[in-house]
Amino acid sequence: MIDDNGTTLVLKLPAQMQKLADNTDNAQIVAGLKTLTPVVVKDIDGIKQAKNTQLDPSLATYRSC
């Protein structure tokens, strides 16, 4: 049945596997984002502060330049 198809399965398989990996990564990212508490920011400095202190707390000990 595969031989009747003009496309080689071996050529399509890597692309399908990459899509599967991307979808899995995206699902894990979305699940992680859903665990975060929303933060209201008013400007770009608020975004930077939220990123540095809440998304990556290890950066909170460093001063931004």
Side-chain angles (χ1 to χ4, degrees), residues 11-63:
L11 296 176
K12 287 196 168 229
L13 189 58
Q16 286 301 110
M17 294 303 293
Q18 185 60 51
K19 285 181 185 179
L20 177 63
D22 291 344
N23 289 339
T24 301
D25 291 344
N26 290 343
Q28 291 171 344
I29 291 168
V30 169
L33 289 173
K34 287 182 178 181
T35 65
L36 299 175
T37 303
V39 176
V40 177
V41 297
K42 295 181 180 182
D43 55 16
I44 190 72
D45 290 330
I47 294 171
K48 290 177 188 177
Q49 182 180 13
K51 177 194 174 288
N52 293 339
T53 61
Q54 295 178 349
L55 291 178
D56 192 354
S58 66
L59 296 176
T61 59
Y62 299 103
R63 290 186 168 187

